[in-house]
Amino acid sequence: MKKIGVLTIGQAPRTDIEEVLFAHLTREMVIQRGALDGWTKQEIEEKFSPAPEEELVLTTKLNTGESVILAEEKIVPLLQEKVIALEKDGCSTILLLCTGEFPTLRSRRALLLQPDRVLARVIDAILPSGKLGVLCPLPEQQQMIREKWSSYKGDLLLESVSPYTGRPEEFEQAAARFRENGADIIVLDCMGYQPSQRKIVQTGSGAPVLLSVSLLARIAGEVIAD
């Protein structure tokens, strides 16, 4: 049986999104690993929290159910180590569970699916211009997200609600602002967003909504299929 590595920037297993993953991948073929496996929350906050001058920040979920904020550049070495370990485990494909940009991350043999690259090309194909709504977890990520989507030729509409701590009414409010501003399509730009959160945003905005984890799991399922 082919093996696929599922790599989170936090801790594995990601039970919060397994329902979506295993709708497209069989449980037996998946090996889950996390960059922060084995670290306590205190250790993570001491070693990987962003300094005031660091603008590239990410958020993820721990096995305790708590969320943490990380400096992107500080976790890249750990992610690279896990990519190498998953290849040694026999994974022919590795799905990264983060929509952040990791241009230096490399695999030796395995196909490495990086969501930020896939999302950009999907949007280019289905909405080359227009009003693109992007929902990201943290307000302090908005400048990073704006730069990430800077090649988009249309208008960019940004909102922030955490998939881990956001309340339903916060998603409703973000959806209402997307509707008011005329979003044509909305991307939930984090692999932690849930189908239930997608439904709230789609109902409230009236626009199609792309759930990143679902889209990437579908693609991974096609890649790994016998």
Side-chain angles (χ1 to χ4, degrees), residues 31 123 147 169 176 184 194 224:
I31 299 176
I123 291 300
E147 292 174 1
E169 54 267 31
D184 294 305
Q194 302 286 320
I224 202 75

Side-chain angles (χ1 to χ4, degrees), residues 89-127:
D89 288 337
C91 295
S92 59
T93 302
I94 299 172
L95 170 58
L96 179 63
L97 291 182
C98 182
T99 60
E101 295 179 286
F102 298 95
T104 64
L105 199 62
R106 295 287 186 273
S107 58
R108 295 173 180 172
R109 300 175 304 278
L111 176 64
L112 182 59
L113 295 178
Q114 298 198 49
D116 72 293
R117 299 177 182 178
V118 175
L119 288 173
R121 285 158 178 77
V122 168
I123 291 300
D124 281 344
I126 62 178
L127 189 73

Side-chain angles (χ1 to χ4, degrees), residues 60-81:
T60 189
K61 196 170 186 179
L62 305 180
N63 285 339
T64 59
E66 300 169 287
S67 62
V68 290
I69 298 176
L70 310 170
E72 183 177 296
E73 65 177 346
K74 291 177 180 177
I75 63 164
V76 171
L78 296 183
L79 286 172
Q80 187 63 66
E81 289 175 6

Side-chain angles (χ1 to χ4, degrees), residues 83-176:
V83 168
I84 294 171
L86 285 166
E87 288 190 304
K88 289 181 179 178
D89 288 337
C91 295
S92 59
T93 302
I94 299 172
L95 170 58
L96 179 63
L97 291 182
C98 182
T99 60
E101 295 179 286
F102 298 95
T104 64
L105 199 62
R106 295 287 186 273
S107 58
R108 295 173 180 172
R109 300 175 304 278
L111 176 64
L112 182 59
L113 295 178
Q114 298 198 49
D116 72 293
R117 299 177 182 178
V118 175
L119 288 173
R121 285 158 178 77
V122 168
I123 291 300
D124 281 344
I126 62 178
L127 189 73
S129 63
K131 293 186 177 182
L132 174 63
V134 179
L135 186 66
C136 66
L138 306 171
E140 54 265 44
Q141 290 179 312
Q142 288 201 11
Q143 182 56 37
M144 176 181 75
I145 295 295
R146 191 172 296 280
E147 292 174 1
K148 171 183 169 180
W149 288 95
S150 61
S151 63
Y152 180 65
K153 296 179 177 61
D155 297 326
L156 201 61
L157 309 174
L158 298 182
E159 295 289 342
S160 303
V161 183
S162 171
Y164 309 121
T165 60
R167 303 183 305 277
E169 54 267 31
E170 292 179 273
F171 284 93
E172 291 170 357
Q173 292 162 4

Side-chain angles (χ1 to χ4, degrees), residues 177-198:
R177 289 190 290 271
F178 280 132
R179 178 187 285 273
E180 290 169 6
N181 290 309
D184 294 305
I185 289 179
I186 298 166
V187 175
L188 303 189
D189 199 346
C190 176
M191 296 292 273
Y193 286 115
Q194 302 286 320
S196 58
Q197 295 164 341
R198 173 187 180 273

